[in-house]
Amino acid sequence: MANCLNACLGAIFTTIILGVFLAKTLGLQKRFGALTGGSVAICGASAALAISTILPKGKNHERDTLLTVIGVTAMSTIAMIVYPILSSQLGMNETEAKHIFRGNHSRRRSSGGSGVFGL
């Protein structure tokens, strides 16, 4: 159990650090990288809003928060549509496809999408 927890915490930490690194590389503020990395690592729009409340307020704070919420919501919606189609094209059976959808942190939406496509 401890190994699983360590792996999860490591993945979250790595995703946030990668977000900060990519933001810095692209000439964006580190705060924006922490916000986007954290929202992707944790759970999406709700994480973005929670993280946003603890970040220092800067000139583009509201804009960055809104952009992050829109971005992660759009990516989740695209995943909900693409994953079922992709799993069908790859010839996955229902069990294999469900493992992918449940591993995704948009799992409820992806599972709903898989039902639409008969997976």
Side-chain angles (χ1 to χ4, degrees), residues 29-61:
Q29 293 181 343
K30 290 181 194 178
R31 283 181 287 200
F32 183 64
L35 178 63
T36 55
S39 66
V40 170
I42 299 170
C43 73
S46 58
L49 294 171
I51 293 167
S52 171
T53 63
I54 63 168
L55 289 176
K57 307 296 184 250
K59 176 181 161 189
N60 298 319
H61 179 77

Side-chain angles (χ1 to χ4, degrees), residues 33-101:
L35 178 63
T36 55
S39 66
V40 170
I42 299 170
C43 73
S46 58
L49 294 171
I51 293 167
S52 171
T53 63
I54 63 168
L55 289 176
K57 307 296 184 250
K59 176 181 161 189
N60 298 319
H61 179 77
E62 289 182 15
R63 183 200 68 180
D64 291 349
T65 302
L66 182 61
L67 181 61
T68 301
V69 169
I70 290 169
V72 295
T73 302
M75 288 188 292
S76 294
T77 302
I78 291 168
M80 177 183 70
I81 296 166
V82 171
Y83 283 174
I85 295 169
L86 182 62
S87 66
S88 178
Q89 294 296 316
L90 293 173
M92 293 180 178
N93 64 35
E94 183 176 342
T95 303
E96 293 168 332
K98 284 182 181 178
H99 282 294
I100 290 175
F101 300 138

